[in-house]
Amino acid sequence: MESKGCKPIDCILLESIFRIVCLACDKEDDLQKLNFGDLHKSWCRNCHNLLELSISHIRFRGDSVNTGEDKQIAASLPKPKKTLDKFSKSMIEEGQGLPNQGACEHYKKSFRWFRFPCCGKLYACDTCHEIKTNGEHEMKQANRMICGYCSKEQLFSKDKPCIGCGEETTRRRTQFWEGGKGCRDQSKMNKNDGHKFANSRKKTVAKTKVAELATKK
């Protein structure tokens, strides 16, 4: 998609109209309500040939820098009443991370956004979807997601790493400290982790050390 003098945020396919051409008879037609990754099948109205269409990803091209004329037009337009949330302010650009790596206040260890097929929009979780849409439509389970580290859109996967950057989109349970990002329960830590007995009463003390402490007392 071509963009000039504007900053694309996202493409809501369900609200877009596409012009398609039948390769058998060159008949043009309009198509609506497409979603990412879904295989759409229809028939040509002219030759009745079977048409199949699928959209796996979208890329914006063009100059997104505002010109003087664009700024004048923007200044003349009425300002929106509602403030933009983090989903509206962030530009989805592959290779760059999402705000807070995609985590939200409801799921702080989930580093991805989900594209919901009911509205075609992106939200960090089902709770965020319900809050932002205010129950305007029935929610359908998301079938696609965007990596919080590289913004690569892909099919939903529960536990597989991102196909773009290889990062884990959910924080897995671990028995190691990992700089404070891993396990913090000393009783569940791996015995080879140096933090398991750090500042702990269970830490073993050499007999010579005990004798020195007793002598000092």
Side-chain angles (χ1 to χ4, degrees):
M1 293 186 177
E2 294 288 347
S3 61
K4 184 178 181 181
C6 63
K7 183 178 180 180
I9 296 175
D10 191 16
C11 182
I12 311 302
L13 294 184
L14 292 179
E15 301 177 3
S16 303
I17 301 177
F18 297 89
R19 176 60 59 88
I20 61 174
V21 180
C22 176
L23 298 179
C25 66
D26 293 333
K27 175 67 176 180
E28 294 186 358
D29 199 1
D30 292 336
L31 197 60
Q32 295 180 332
K33 295 184 178 180
L34 292 178
N35 208 346
F36 285 90
D38 294 342
L39 179 62
H40 179 84
K41 293 183 179 181
S42 62
W43 283 264
C44 175
R45 297 181 181 181
N46 185 49
C47 67
H48 306 291
N49 187 47
L50 177 62
L51 307 176
E52 295 183 348
L53 178 65
S54 177
I55 300 178
S56 59
H57 67 278
I58 289 178
R59 179 176 298 176
F60 294 100
R61 300 185 304 176
D63 184 13
S64 60
V65 179
N66 291 332
T67 62
E69 183 180 355
D70 297 327
K71 292 181 179 180
Q72 293 178 359
I73 296 175
S76 64
L77 295 175
K79 296 182 178 180
K81 296 182 179 180
K82 295 183 179 180
T83 57
L84 297 177
D85 54 28
K86 64 179 180 180
F87 301 105
S88 302
K89 289 189 292 185
S90 60
M91 177 180 177
I92 308 302
E93 186 172 348
E94 191 170 323
Q96 297 184 2
L98 298 174
N100 200 24
Q101 279 74 54
C104 67
E105 58 181 340
H106 310 109
Y107 295 92
K108 296 182 179 180
K109 295 184 179 181
S110 176
F111 307 107
R112 54 190 174 184
W113 283 2
F114 299 93
R115 190 176 293 281
F116 290 83
C118 50
C119 56
K121 297 182 180 180
L122 292 167
Y123 295 101
C125 68
D126 53 349
T127 306
C128 290
H129 174 278
E130 289 300 303
I131 294 175
K132 298 301 178 183
T133 59
N134 197 24
E136 294 177 353
H137 60 267
E138 182 180 357
M139 182 185 66
K140 294 183 179 180
Q141 187 174 2
N143 53 6
R144 296 184 68 81
M145 65 181 188
I146 289 185
C147 173
Y149 296 97
C150 68
S151 297
K152 174 69 175 180
E153 183 157 347
Q154 55 203 281
L155 288 173
F156 168 75
S157 177
K158 186 176 181 180
D159 52 5
K160 293 182 180 180
C162 171
I163 62 175
C165 63
E167 291 283 354
E168 298 289 345
T169 54
T170 56
R171 183 69 67 188
R172 295 185 178 183
R173 292 183 179 180
T174 175
Q175 290 183 308
F176 292 88
W177 175 255
E178 294 183 359
K181 295 183 178 180
C183 181
R184 299 192 179 197
D185 187 348
Q186 289 181 314
S187 63
K188 297 181 180 180
M189 280 187 183
N190 189 289
K191 62 180 181 179
N192 296 324
D193 194 316
H195 290 81
K196 182 175 180 65
F197 302 106
N199 302 322
S200 174
R201 294 180 180 180
K202 296 181 180 180
K203 189 190 311 184
T204 57
V205 181
K207 291 182 179 180
T208 55
K209 186 68 175 179
V210 174
E212 290 178 3
L213 293 174
T215 303
K216 290 181 180 180
K217 289 182 179 180

